[in-house]
């Protein structure tokens, strides 16, 4: 039994195209594409009447565990270091495994409702490290989205915590299957000792995967790295040989051209996080200079990649350096295809069926030539009507099919209250 999507306007991002064609999906893949496909006797037929069929979106740098932190009380902050030490790290230290799973479910559900079908998650829960990535995967599994998961290895909580983090990220990567894959994660460069860098190098060799690392989100990263370790973050990563075409480098907002050129030369993916950068007031990352392997991530914010793409383009235009927003979105699909060793994104025969149905009825013509303008100025998560992942409907008529959003919200509020109480020492 298959599914035939009839009468939709099928969107491709790069090269851009908008074409009125039918799709037939079977066994998780698109098996046929054409102007008037004839369904088989037992096929499910979905009449779309001109709605958009859009590739599922990708958040290439995400922190699902922060889902329970929205709106929590914050002390008066004096810059980026305060934001880390007084808020994020205290919050992460208050997470237990139950909260980790609830946060992943709540964040994954929000991603699904926004049309994001894959998240590359960098996790941290320093008092509950072992087993944490499995709990993140369970949370996402309840929702039905894809996840590429890593634990942020750091010396911030001592050598035992560092070794547990290495064990967790390696063991999960080796057993991940289905809609899940693993990566080796790292914390901020200034929190990584030389022993941590060596451990990361060994972890990468044993897993044959890439490093997921935040880099130069704020000038503090370089300042403390030089003070504590005698070298810049990029210099340390390059000397240790940790960057490769499988690596994910997030932020990169405060790199000189020589350092940025070195990162680009390794073939690493660079992940632009404009909304997060604005929220932390860390300045604008020069996204136009990120090269051909640049994409988008939502970091600690909601996984609304339509909003992220709009912010990225408008901020880049304000800076006088407008980016190709369709390429940034399409690179998310190339990244997923690399991680899963399967074609994801292009809505063509042989690709996995990760796609969205959007009830977008534009007031102006929608063509390949103006698709980017519709993405930036028209399309939004409010148009997401249905979501398919791996050929199965996960959202239909704006309702998730595998869980009750009210139950998820109740559980998340309860877990958030407990985390906030632990942060306050209650």
């Amino acid at each position: 039994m298959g599914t035939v999507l009839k009468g939709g306007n099928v969107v491709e991002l790069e090269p851009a195209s908008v074409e009125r064609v039918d799709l037939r999906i079977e066994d998780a893949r698109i098996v046929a594409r054409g102007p008037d496909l004839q369904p088989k006797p037992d096929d499910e037929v979905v009449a779309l009447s001109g709605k958009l069929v859009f590739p599922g979106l990708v958040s290439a740098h995400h922190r699902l565990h922060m889902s329970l932190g929205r709106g929590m009380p914050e002390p008066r902050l004096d810059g980026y270091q305060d934001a880390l030490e007084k808020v994020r790290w205290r919050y992460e230290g208050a997470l237990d495994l139950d909260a980790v799973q609830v946060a992943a479910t709540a964040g994954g559900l929000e991603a699904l409702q926004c049309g994001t079908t894959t998240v590359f998650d960098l996790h941290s829960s320093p008092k509950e490290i072992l087993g944490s990535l499995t709990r993140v995967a369970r949370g996402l599994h309840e929702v039905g989205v894809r996840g590429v998961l890593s634990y942020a290895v750091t010396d911030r909580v001592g050598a035992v915590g560092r070794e547990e983090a290495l064990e967790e990220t390696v063991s999960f990567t080796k057993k991940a299957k289905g809609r899940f894959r693993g990566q080796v994660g790292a914390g901020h460069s200034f929190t990584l000792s030389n022993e941590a860098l060596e451990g990361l190098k060994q972890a990468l060799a044993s897993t044959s995967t890439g490093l997921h690392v935040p880099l130069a989100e704020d000038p503090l990263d370089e300042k403390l790295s030089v003070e504590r370790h005698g070298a810049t973050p990029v210099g340390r990563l390059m000397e240790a040989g940790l960057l490769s075409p499988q690596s994910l480098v997030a932020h990169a907002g405060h790199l000189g051209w020589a350092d940025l050129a070195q990162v680009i030369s390794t073939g690493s993916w660079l992940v632009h996080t404009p909304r997060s950068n604005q929220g932390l007031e860390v300045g604008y990352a020069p996204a136009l200079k990120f090269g051909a392997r640049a994409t988008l991530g939502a970091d600690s914010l909601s996984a609304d990649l339509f909003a992220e793409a709009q912010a990225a383009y408008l901020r880049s235009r304000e800076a006088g350096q407008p980016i190709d927003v369709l390429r940034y979105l399409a690179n998310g699909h190339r990244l997923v295809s690399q991680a899963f060793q399967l074609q994801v994104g292009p809505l063509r025969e042989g690709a996995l069926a990760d796609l969205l149905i959007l009830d977008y009825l534009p007031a102006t013509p929608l063509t390949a030539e103006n698709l980017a303008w519709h993405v930036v100025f028209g399309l939004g998560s409010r148009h997401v009507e249905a979501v398919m992942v791996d050929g199965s409907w996960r959202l239909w008529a704006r309702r998730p099919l595998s869980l009750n959003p009210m139950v998820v919200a109740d559980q998340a509020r309860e877990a958030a209250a407990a985390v906030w109480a632990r942060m306050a020492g209650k």
Side-chain angles (χ1 to χ4, degrees), residues 60-135:
H61 172 66
H62 212 80
R63 295 182 186 271
L64 286 165
H65 63 275
M66 294 300 298
S67 299
L68 304 182
R70 190 175 302 164
M72 64 184 171
E74 289 188 1
R76 186 176 182 85
L77 301 177
D78 183 21
Y80 180 73
Q81 189 165 2
D82 264 7
L84 291 180
E85 294 177 352
K86 294 182 179 180
V87 181
R88 179 179 292 178
W89 290 348
R90 287 185 63 199
Y91 169 85
E92 291 175 350
L95 293 170
D96 60 18
L97 290 180
D98 288 340
V100 166
Q101 184 168 333
V102 170
T105 302
L109 176 58
E110 192 168 53
L112 182 74
Q113 292 169 321
C114 291
T116 298
T117 55
T118 304
V119 294
F120 285 73
D121 191 59
L122 184 62
H123 178 68
S124 178
S125 53
K127 293 185 178 177
E128 296 278 6
I129 297 174
L130 298 179
S132 61
L133 294 185
T134 297
R135 297 297 286 269

Side-chain angles (χ1 to χ4, degrees), residues 132-188:
S132 61
L133 294 185
T134 297
R135 297 297 286 269
V136 174
R138 287 178 186 171
L140 288 179
H141 179 71
E142 290 186 66
V143 180
V145 299
R146 295 184 189 280
V148 181
L149 313 182
S150 56
Y151 193 95
V153 174
T154 176
D155 282 282
R156 185 168 53 82
V157 291
V160 172
R162 178 190 72 218
E163 294 306 310
E164 286 187 350
L166 286 165
E167 179 184 344
E168 178 65 10
T169 201
V170 169
S171 64
F172 180 82
T173 298
K174 289 184 175 181
K175 66 187 178 185
K177 60 183 180 180
R179 292 192 304 276
F180 296 98
R181 295 292 186 271
Q183 284 184 303
V184 176
H188 296 83

Side-chain angles (χ1 to χ4, degrees), residues 5 35 78 227 230 308:
L5 307 181
D78 183 21
E227 287 178 0
E308 205 69 49

